[in-house]
Amino acid sequence: MQQPRPLGGPDIGRHLLREEGEVIVDEVRHHWAAYTVPVLEGLLAVAVLAWVPVIHIDLAGFALVLAIGLALHAGWGALREHRDRFVITNMRVFRVHGVLTTKMATMPLHRILDITVVRPLHGRIFGFGHFCFESAAQEQGLRDIRYVGRPVQRDLAIQRVVQRSGLRGPRVG
């Protein structure tokens, strides 16, 4: 059963190879920390807009244009983050992103050589990290996936999918 698409989000289901048995293991949206810059810009736009009625009339037009510009830039940044998805399936990993132009990068599971999980101090505090994929072809669209919530659990999910697909040798024990 297909999950409902979030408002304004990309249609992940249309990229699946359903007739080949591909299913979503995890769909990764950006952690809320990725939205901090757009939110701060939006708050700054509100502050500038609130400032417009009390400043000199000669500066009010500039302040109004500045507030509108900040608000538009904040909205664009939030929409860009919202439309960026990283998807783990039983066959591959892929990323779909872009607002006006949708870009998609795909990497079959057998091409993943290594995943580096980077958890900066503020990421450990707030629960996010960044993935860095190493592959034989170094596909740039999937090299860096930033602001991944619960990165350790998601790394383990990828490792489990790779192991279950038989792409790595049996465990030595």
Side-chain angles (χ1 to χ4, degrees), residues 62-78:
F62 173 74
L64 186 61
V65 169
L66 179 65
I68 291 170
L70 280 169
L72 289 173
H73 191 263
W76 183 265

Side-chain angles (χ1 to χ4, degrees), residues 100-171:
L100 297 178
T101 302
T102 302
K103 300 170 205 125
M104 182 174 164
T106 301
M107 185 184 311
L109 292 176
H110 70 273
R111 301 267 304 272
I112 299 173
L113 299 177
D114 185 37
I115 303 171
T116 302
V117 179
V118 179
R119 295 183 65 206
L121 177 62
H122 64 293
R124 286 184 285 157
I125 292 169
F126 294 116
F128 71 88
H130 313 297
F131 283 168
C132 182
F133 285 91
E134 301 291 333
S135 75
Q138 289 298 329
E139 293 148 31
Q140 297 303 313
L142 270 173
R143 180 160 168 73
D144 294 310
I145 308 295
R146 301 183 50 78
Y147 295 103
V148 175
R150 301 183 344 263
V152 174
Q153 293 89 339
R154 289 199 157 118
D155 176 48
L156 290 174
I158 294 170
Q159 300 304 330
R160 274 195 288 290
V161 170
V162 169
Q163 188 68 28
R164 287 180 186 152
S165 67
L167 297 173
R168 302 289 188 266
R171 281 184 257 176

